Amino acid sequence: MGHLLGNAVRLTPCEDILVVGEGIETLLSVREAGPGLPVWAALSSSHLGAVLLPVGLQRLYIAIDRDPAGRRASDRLTTRATEAGIAVRVLEPRLGDFNDDLRAHGQKALRQHLVEQIGPEDRQRLER
């Protein structure tokens, strides 16, 4: 998977904001709860920390897995994004990842949990 370093599965196109995380199922769960959010899956924590950010990105949401590797990757990506002038917020699941949250609590509860973490300027995107 070394040749994939820096790349991501671009599940939706993005312009000014992006939600990026590790697994495809995690980001599809975020997308189900917030259908207007653009999402990319990095495929691993190592790749998450190294994902190449698109030109013109203004706000980055990092959907972490609740484990040490996810937090380290988030820290690396946060540093890189901040240095590039991109505002960053980390989205934390209640359980292990957002797919666990969706399966355990349902779409409505996951959406509400995301509302509490997404910046006010992007909350309308949860409803699209």
Side-chain angles (χ1 to χ4, degrees):
M1 289 184 43
H3 295 291
L4 298 175
L5 192 64
N7 293 297
V9 177
R10 298 172 183 196
L11 297 165
T12 62
C14 79
E15 293 178 13
D16 58 337
I17 76 160
L18 175 63
V19 181
V20 66
E22 289 181 42
I24 292 172
E25 67 283 348
T26 295
L27 277 300
L28 287 175
S29 297
V30 169
R31 179 76 178 180
E32 185 168 325
L37 295 172
V39 297
W40 290 7
L43 303 180
S44 74
S45 59
S46 296
H47 290 157
L48 177 60
V51 73
L52 298 174
L53 300 172
V55 174
L57 191 66
Q58 296 174 14
R59 292 179 304 285
L60 176 66
Y61 295 96
I62 305 171
I64 66 168
D65 287 2
R66 195 177 281 278
D67 60 24
R71 292 186 192 283
R72 284 191 302 273
S74 172
D75 290 345
R76 285 192 306 275
L77 186 54
T78 296
T79 298
R80 292 182 38 245
T82 302
E83 288 172 354
I86 300 167
V88 178
R89 285 184 185 236
V90 175
L91 305 177
E92 294 195 37
R94 289 185 172 112
L95 302 173
D97 63 32
F98 287 101
N99 185 250
D100 292 341
D101 285 4
L102 178 64
R103 290 184 336 204
H105 304 293
Q107 180 185 26
K108 185 176 179 181
L110 179 52
R111 179 178 290 129
Q112 183 55 44
H113 186 62
L114 289 171
V115 164
E116 296 165 2
Q117 299 181 73
I118 295 284
E121 65 274 24
D122 295 317
R123 289 184 185 144
Q124 79 282 358
R125 296 181 195 231
L126 290 167
E127 300 299 327
R128 288 188 190 165

